[in-house]
Amino acid sequence: GNSVTQMEGPVTLSEEAFLTINCTYTATGYPSLFWYVQYPGEGLQLLLKATKADDKGSNKGFEATYRKETTSFHLEKGSVQVSDSAVYFCALSGSSNYKLTFGKGTLLTVNP
Amino acid sequence: DTEVTQTPKHLVMGMTNKKSLKCEQHMGHRAMYWYKQKAKKPPELMFVYSYEKLSINESVPSRFSPECPNSSLLNLHLHALQPEDSALYLCASSLGTAPRSDTQYFGPGTRLTVL
């Protein structure tokens, strides 16, 4: 079956530091890949997505590239802000169904 | 606009109460979902509606009863819940359920506490 493995953290960074959260997946076919962000006390927000190999999703300074050869979709941001503190979930949607498979989530804390 | 709304934001209920959660979207999406999320965990799928018909029930206990009155509205009826059902309940919608139309947009959730 499908699975997603992401670094669990917690990750603590200083403001303006570089961020990488690793995500690798196992799936048959050609899944769609997503990063969702959950701020404290809120629901999930779609951060970015990619639907085919070599696609780069980007939003709010965050980027992730769909790498089929390494089955990865690592999240990066060049300069984090305190407001980026949240839980980040990597997820995939299989090529034959709707179902979202989530990673366990990574708690990011950015200190001033 | 990618907004999914949920009411109420918070709900406290006793084990003998009957209550309902409501979810609404006006994006023309034809698939709607209920998830349950416990603290520090990813969301777990409960139900999927596709074109207003229940297409997936992930072996959810019958004390949770979903309803889709129309393509924009999704309800979750709650009855005789247990304290372990306390969680954040998230609604989501997508254009469809097929690949490339399956990006799910989530609402803010209802924080449920069962006493």
Side-chain angles (χ1 to χ4, degrees):
Chain A
N2 297 336
S3 67
V4 174
T5 302
Q6 65 176 103
M7 55 190 289
E8 292 186 32
V11 175
T12 302
L13 296 173
S14 298
E15 205 164 24
E16 299 184 4
F18 184 85
L19 169 71
T20 300
I21 301 178
N22 291 336
C23 173
T24 57
Y25 68 90
T26 301
T28 55
Y30 302 93
S32 297
L33 300 174
F34 307 88
W35 277 101
Y36 285 90
V37 58
Q38 188 171 32
Y39 298 102
E42 298 186 10
L44 273 69
Q45 296 180 25
L46 178 67
L47 183 59
L48 52 84
K49 67 177 183 180
T51 58
K52 61 183 188 295
D54 300 324
D55 265 2
K56 177 187 282 187
S58 61
N59 186 25
K60 299 180 181 179
F62 291 89
E63 292 183 340
T65 301
Y66 189 142
R67 301 283 188 202
K68 193 161 179 63
E69 63 277 12
T70 55
T71 61
S72 65
F73 193 55
H74 304 320
L75 182 68
E76 296 182 337
K77 186 175 186 182
S79 176
V80 293
Q81 305 300 311
V82 172
S83 57
D84 293 326
S85 298
V87 178
Y88 292 81
F89 291 99
C90 184
L92 73 81
S93 178
S95 60
S96 61
N97 64 67
Y98 57 90
K99 189 170 181 177
L100 274 178
T101 300
F102 287 94
K104 292 185 176 181
T106 301
L107 173 62
L108 170 67
T109 301
V110 180
N111 295 318
Chain B
D1 184 13
T2 55
E3 188 177 28
V4 176
T5 59
Q6 290 187 244
T7 54
K9 190 171 176 62
H10 300 278
L11 178 63
V12 179
M13 60 186 291
M15 289 190 285
T16 58
N17 292 157
K18 286 185 180 181
K19 296 286 185 183
S20 297
L21 310 184
K22 179 180 172 182
C23 172
E24 201 159 5
Q25 58 86 15
H26 295 287
M27 296 178 279
H29 287 178
R30 304 314 300 265
M32 296 185 78
Y33 310 76
W34 280 115
Y35 287 84
K36 174 183 178 179
Q37 187 182 25
K38 300 287 270 186
K40 302 185 187 300
K41 298 288 186 183
E44 298 174 3
L45 182 66
M46 301 174 72
F47 302 104
V48 180
Y49 273 83
S50 180
Y51 289 84
E52 301 163 45
K53 293 184 179 176
L54 182 64
S55 61
I56 297 291
N57 175 342
E58 292 282 309
S59 303
V60 179
S62 60
R63 58 185 184 267
F64 296 90
S65 176
E67 178 195 21
C68 189
N70 59 58
S71 60
S72 300
L73 190 57
L74 185 66
N75 298 321
L76 185 63
H77 302 299
L78 314 173
H79 174 54
L81 295 193
Q82 305 298 310
E84 59 265 29
D85 296 322
S86 298
L88 181 67
Y89 287 84
L90 294 163
C91 175
S93 70
S94 64
L95 186 62
T97 56
R100 314 297 179 250
S101 67
D102 57 355
T103 300
Q104 294 185 31
Y105 297 90
F106 286 80
T110 293
R111 176 76 58 187
L112 174 67
T113 302
V114 181
L115 301 176

